[in-house]
Amino acid sequence: MEINSLTAAEIAGGIAEKKFSASEVFSSCMEAVHRGEPDISALITVAEETGHAAAREIDQRIAGGEKPGPLAGVPIVMKDNMCIRGLPATCGSRMLHGWIPPYDAAVAELLSGAGAVFAGKANMDEFAMGGSTEFSAFGPTSNPWDLERVPGGSSGGSAAAVAAGYVPVSLGSDTGGSIRQPASFCGLYGLKPTYGLVSRWGLVAFASSLDQIGPFARTVEDLALLLSVIARPDPRDGTSSRRERPDYTACVKNPSLKGKKVAVVKEFGAMSASVSPEVREALEKTLSLCREEGAEIVEVSLPVSLEFGLPCYYILAPAEASSNLARFDGVRYGLSSKEDSLLELYLRTRGKGFGSEVKRRILTGTYVLSSGYYDAYYLTAQKVRSLMKEEFRRAFGSCDLIALPTSPTPAFKKGELVNDPIQMYLADVFTLPVNLAELPALSLNAGFTSGKKPLPLGVQLIASRWGEPELLNAAAVLERRLGIAGTAPCTKNGKGGRS
Ligand code: GLN
């Protein structure tokens, strides 16, 4: 049986109805992994043995008349900065070499509680810093649409694993775009939830005031299904909101954009010259479909966010990272260089363990927090962040959703930006403001480039805080209208695929 073109909902449904077993699904998933990995390298750890055991257990429970949950038997991949007990968690770094977490992240508990089966841990930019998955100590991941291109990052392995058909859904983390941008490069739906919606207990921190965990999927229904499972309050995460979560799967049942206000951003006009024409066209098409579906297109102004979001992020995120990464010192976790003095041990371990981009962030972060520079950089960036939050709050007074590109370009070539950090940072201009303002946003596939190897084009929808239902509703309408749901290289000749 080929599960490559089935959605998570179809797999869980098929297993519950005993059309096929969780073990058969998992075997098919592993076949796809072994077929794809030599080219794609999406996974750092393949959880073959533990996955087979978990799938067998699901089958036994079903045979015993139990209903093991909404994701029963669905194979899933998690980014390698989230802990699964007993499996290595590397964060794409040499620094955590040999570290096996003794506990499950909150999302891992929730997923296995819902019956999901872990197929592996996904490649990522080291400690989630980057936008191409080229900053992994384990080598780059390839984009399944075009192996010469990057899958995006930092959650590039999680996105590639879904686009390549290993698994129908996966989890990533998004500090400044790391779910949305790889989703856009790999032709998937990717959701960055409101800050505080999903527990980060067991997620290795990058920038704690920005990090959120969220799902990747090939359909909006699967995105909602996964979100329903992971969006739970958690007292172990001090930033986890206690508010009641709606049933996200209900938001995609009878979707409608009638009477909704979808905003374009005034300042985007002046920036659009630096955006690829195909991305601009995808955005235009999305807006005209919204209009045809009864939405009103309005304009909002976000001058601070679009001009200063990027520098603000690249001060605050490194500042937080420099503090968070201080714990990797050769004493507590993973790598340790045996030296005569404690100082040598710290220096050598950190010198060998961290890659160049992580070192760049630690240096920048330490600098902007240092006495004499703190006021000019860190404090000023915090003030700008407050202005951005206020600016978005005002904007959502006159609209339900804001539409922007996810990334200024489709997937770029491997090696193209890796030696030019500033260009790589500039590509984050449309995603970073969302994290700084603690908002939810969704990237959807709105079409393809023309040419021999079509590349997916992503559009981003942003909602106000806790506006995930609004995002899922709109994405479900657009999914129907665009008619390319479930399209992925793995389904090219299959159901819903491009032939
Ligand atoms: N590309 C951004 C960065 O390098 C975002 C990363 C992320 O969201 N984890 O920091």
Side-chain angles (χ1 to χ4, degrees), residues 128-130 154 174-178 206 313-314 361 428:
M129 298 172 193
S154 62
D174 190 314
T175 304
S178 282
F206 162 12
Y313 172 90
Y314 278 100
R361 307 275 178 126
D428 298 334

Side-chain angles (χ1 to χ4, degrees), residues 79 81 124-132 135 153-155 173-182 192 206-207 210-212 313-314 317-318 357 361 424-425 427-428 431-432 435:
K79 187 174 181 178
N81 57 355
M124 56 184 282
D125 285 300
E126 187 174 6
F127 286 104
M129 298 172 193
S132 68
F135 291 128
S154 62
S155 314
S173 67
D174 190 314
T175 304
S178 282
I179 294 173
R180 289 159 286 157
Q181 186 251 29
K192 183 259 159 199
F206 162 12
L210 302 161
D211 300 338
Q212 263 297 284
Y313 172 90
Y314 278 100
E357 182 59 25
R361 307 275 178 126
M424 187 90 91
Y425 298 169
D428 298 334
T431 50
L432 306 172
N435 301 68

Side-chain angles (χ1 to χ4, degrees), residues 50-250:
T50 49
H52 272 302
R56 270 195 304 275
E57 196 193 313
I58 295 285
D59 286 334
Q60 279 160 7
R61 288 171 59 191
I62 291 178
E66 277 182 60
K67 285 198 167 57
L71 293 175
V74 174
I76 188 163
V77 154
M78 289 202 338
K79 187 174 181 178
D80 210 17
N81 57 355
M82 297 169 216
C83 296
I84 299 179
R85 183 158 34 119
L87 291 180
T90 68
C91 292
S93 181
R94 271 187 293 275
M95 187 53 109
L96 281 168
H97 181 78
W99 186 64
I100 312 262
Y103 67 107
D104 278 334
V107 287
E109 282 175 1
L110 291 166
L111 287 172
S112 47
V117 174
F118 298 121
K121 303 290 294 292
N123 199 14
M124 56 184 282
D125 285 300
E126 187 174 6
F127 286 104
M129 298 172 193
S132 68
T133 314
E134 291 168 292
F135 291 128
S136 165
F138 298 85
T141 294
S142 303
N143 188 321
W145 290 93
D146 178 349
L147 299 176
E148 285 172 21
R149 291 177 189 268
V150 303
S154 62
S155 314
S158 302
V162 176
Y166 302 171
V167 286
V169 283
S170 65
L171 288 191
S173 67
D174 190 314
T175 304
S178 282
I179 294 173
R180 289 159 286 157
Q181 186 251 29
S184 114
F185 283 11
C186 290
L188 305 172
Y189 295 97
L191 178 71
K192 183 259 159 199
T194 308
Y195 187 73
L197 189 75
V198 177
S199 169
R200 298 170 312 164
W201 196 76
L203 167 75
V204 179
F206 162 12
S208 313
S209 77
L210 302 161
D211 300 338
Q212 263 297 284
I213 294 172
F216 288 99
R218 292 194 293 264
T219 63
V220 179
E221 183 189 27
D222 275 5
L223 201 70
L225 180 60
L226 218 64
L227 188 66
S228 289
V229 171
I230 62 171
R232 294 291 155 87
D234 181 3
R236 295 166 299 182
D237 174 353
T239 63
S240 167
S241 163
R242 280 197 290 258
R243 65 186 287 125
E244 210 174 301
R245 275 72 166 162
D247 174 6
Y248 297 105
T249 57

Side-chain angles (χ1 to χ4, degrees), residues 298-363:
V298 298
E299 187 180 78
V300 295
S301 179
L302 297 170
V304 181
S305 301
L306 286 193
E307 186 169 355
F308 299 111
L310 197 128
C312 178
Y313 172 90
Y314 278 100
I315 291 170
L316 296 179
E320 294 186 26
S322 72
S323 164
N324 274 327
L325 269 57
R327 65 174 62 107
F328 303 107
D329 56 3
V331 178
R332 282 173 277 205
Y333 300 92
L335 192 76
S336 185
S337 179
K338 301 286 168 255
E339 304 295 338
D340 291 339
S341 78
L342 189 60
L343 183 61
E344 278 299 303
L345 179 144
Y346 288 156
L347 295 177
R348 288 276 160 78
T349 304
R350 288 169 69 82
K352 280 195 283 197
F354 290 135
S356 59
E357 182 59 25
V358 171
K359 284 181 187 161
R360 188 157 33 235
R361 307 275 178 126
I362 293 174
L363 286 172

